[in-house]
Amino acid sequence: MWGPHTVDLFASRTNTQLPRVLDSGERFCQPTMGPHLTVSGEDTEGTVNNHSGDSLLAISDMVSNPTEPCTPTSSPDPAAGSSRLFSRRQSARLDTSSMAHQRQRLMGEGASAATVKVMTESTLAKTRKRHYKGPQAQWILHCSTNSIDPFNPKAVELLNFLAEGIETKGWKPGTVNNYRSAILDLFPDRLSFWSNSTFRDFFRHLSSNSIKRFINTPIDITPVLDNFRAMGPNSDLNPGQLLPKLCWLLAVCGFMRPSDIHRVDVSHSLVLPSGELELQVVGPKEKRAGEHIIKSVFIHPHEDPLICPVATYQCYVAQLAPATLTSVKHPYLDQTFNPLIRYIFDIN
């Protein structure tokens, strides 16, 4: 227990600190280069227990694999096992590898530690890392199985990976473009790829094969408005009725996305003396000069109080918002705000 140790009991063949490892992975084999591992002890009643009849674990050198085939005690699903392996261990390892490469690349270009911190720990860097993590991990895994340098490939090797996704996985042009952006983020010189004529022609031909359908169908909202009128005054609605009504009116009357409604700061929104509703959206999707903004949305009242967005907002704030005025962290910014609407499916 205190050493010196000769067998690593808590490692796998890919992560060990000693020449020999106790392999307790998916198979239980006979020892290849050592005796059986037996455990003897004494229970609380003083009886000696010899567990030599238990399942045997293989003690093997890390240099080579077992020379004889092993008979597994169970037959796990290989597809499920490989999926779990990639999603947990390999994905984390590949993500760490890409981040380490990015740091080394910046430091190799002469960037200071402060510069590296700004470029790798900013809100934009964290958001990009979250979006690029999956495509980059798949690219690095593809390179490892095809003997390709994932951080210095040829343009045609990247095109082969993207074409394979189109052929075998049915990737759409938008998916291919997302993978291309994520993978190019690993390379210090992206212009060298775009200067390659084959690389440019590939995406030109890819976009020429797709047709974006533009649907301009009129939408009749009369049934929704009739339903709001049939529901009665806002004061008679329960939270499960008032909340969807408010979301729909804000989306339609204020041209607000669901993410905009989610980021409304109720502590800085108010009804103006003119009767207009001013909503403060913290960090919406759009930016100005590359920076996040606070967008003001103005909504005019309607003469019919049953379908008036301002009256619905006032009723909602009076009934529900005061009980939820606690700050939460912004999903993308390093700051907190008081959301108007927090849990859509749990009103309380």
Side-chain angles (χ1 to χ4, degrees):
M1 179 175 180
W2 293 277
H5 304 288
T6 59
V7 179
D8 196 336
L9 301 179
F10 304 101
S12 65
R13 294 181 179 275
T14 59
N15 179 22
T16 181
Q17 305 297 326
L18 296 175
R20 309 179 77 192
V21 61
L22 180 60
D23 189 357
S24 59
E26 296 182 357
R27 57 175 182 241
F28 294 87
C29 313
Q30 295 293 333
T32 58
M33 304 186 70
H36 294 328
L37 175 66
T38 60
V39 180
S40 298
E42 184 171 332
D43 58 16
T44 56
E45 298 179 0
T47 305
V48 177
N49 297 324
N50 189 351
H51 301 280
S52 59
D54 295 342
S55 300
L56 300 177
L57 304 180
I59 303 178
S60 60
D61 288 337
M62 293 302 296
V63 179
S64 60
N65 291 327
T67 56
E68 297 181 0
C70 303
T71 303
T73 57
S74 61
S75 55
D77 185 4
S82 61
S83 175
R84 289 192 299 268
L85 180 63
F86 175 79
S87 61
R88 294 181 181 179
R89 296 181 179 178
Q90 292 190 10
S91 178
R93 189 186 311 119
L94 297 179
D95 178 60
T96 304
S97 176
S98 63
M99 289 299 298
H101 173 77
Q102 183 181 7
R103 294 177 181 273
Q104 293 176 0
R105 185 187 71 195
L106 293 173
M107 296 181 66
E109 295 175 356
S112 64
T115 303
V116 174
K117 181 178 180 180
V118 170
M119 299 189 66
T120 58
E121 298 183 10
S122 64
T123 302
L124 176 62
K126 293 178 181 178
T127 303
R128 181 177 296 174
K129 175 185 175 181
R130 182 171 60 253
H131 293 166
Y132 287 178
K133 178 179 179 180
Q136 288 178 353
Q138 292 192 37
W139 162 250
I140 297 177
L141 180 63
H142 169 81
C143 293
S144 64
T145 57
N146 292 274
S147 302
I148 301 174
D149 184 358
F151 304 111
N152 189 25
K154 299 178 181 178
V156 68
E157 293 173 337
L158 175 55
L159 295 181
N160 291 340
F161 169 75
L162 298 176
E164 180 181 348
I166 297 174
E167 185 71 20
T168 61
K169 301 179 182 179
W171 288 353
K172 300 298 182 182
T175 304
V176 176
N177 291 331
N178 291 336
Y179 270 75
R180 177 198 64 196
S181 301
I183 297 172
L184 289 181
D185 189 64
L186 296 172
F187 312 139
D189 186 12
R190 305 178 186 88
L191 296 179
S192 61
F193 286 85
W194 289 111
S195 62
N196 186 293
S197 59
T198 303
F199 191 83
R200 296 195 309 269
D201 292 342
F202 176 87
F203 292 98
R204 186 179 297 112
H205 290 294
L206 179 66
S207 60
S208 66
N209 294 332
S210 60
I211 300 177
K212 188 175 183 63
R213 183 181 299 275
F214 181 74
I215 301 177
N216 189 16
T217 304
I219 300 177
D220 185 13
I221 63 173
T222 303
V224 180
L225 300 180
D226 292 341
N227 181 58
F228 287 160
R229 292 188 176 97
M231 291 167 60
N234 295 322
S235 57
D236 296 341
L237 302 181
N238 58 53
Q241 296 172 319
L242 186 61
L243 180 59
K245 178 180 180 180
L246 175 64
C247 291
W248 190 90
L249 290 174
L250 294 181
V252 174
C253 301
F255 297 97
M256 302 178 67
R257 310 181 188 91
S259 61
D260 292 340
I261 299 176
H262 173 244
R263 301 172 192 177
V264 171
D265 191 346
V266 65
S267 61
H268 293 86
S269 302
L270 72 159
V271 178
L272 302 177
S274 61
E276 293 179 316
L277 173 62
E278 180 182 1
L279 300 175
Q280 299 293 331
V281 182
V282 181
K285 181 178 180 180
E286 58 265 27
K287 301 178 181 179
R288 297 294 184 273
E291 297 183 358
H292 290 279
I293 62 173
I294 297 180
K295 181 176 67 173
S296 298
V297 177
F298 295 90
I299 300 178
H300 291 268
H302 193 275
E303 58 183 9
D304 187 350
L306 297 180
I307 58 175
C308 177
V310 179
T312 305
Y313 170 85
Q314 291 176 316
C315 183
Y316 171 83
V317 170
Q319 292 185 12
L320 300 178
T324 60
L325 281 180
T326 56
S327 298
V328 299
K329 188 180 182 304
H330 194 278
Y332 296 108
L333 304 179
D334 292 332
Q335 66 181 67
T336 59
F337 73 110
N338 298 322
L340 172 66
I341 297 172
R342 187 167 304 174
Y343 300 110
I344 297 178
F345 300 105
D346 186 3
I347 308 301
N348 297 321

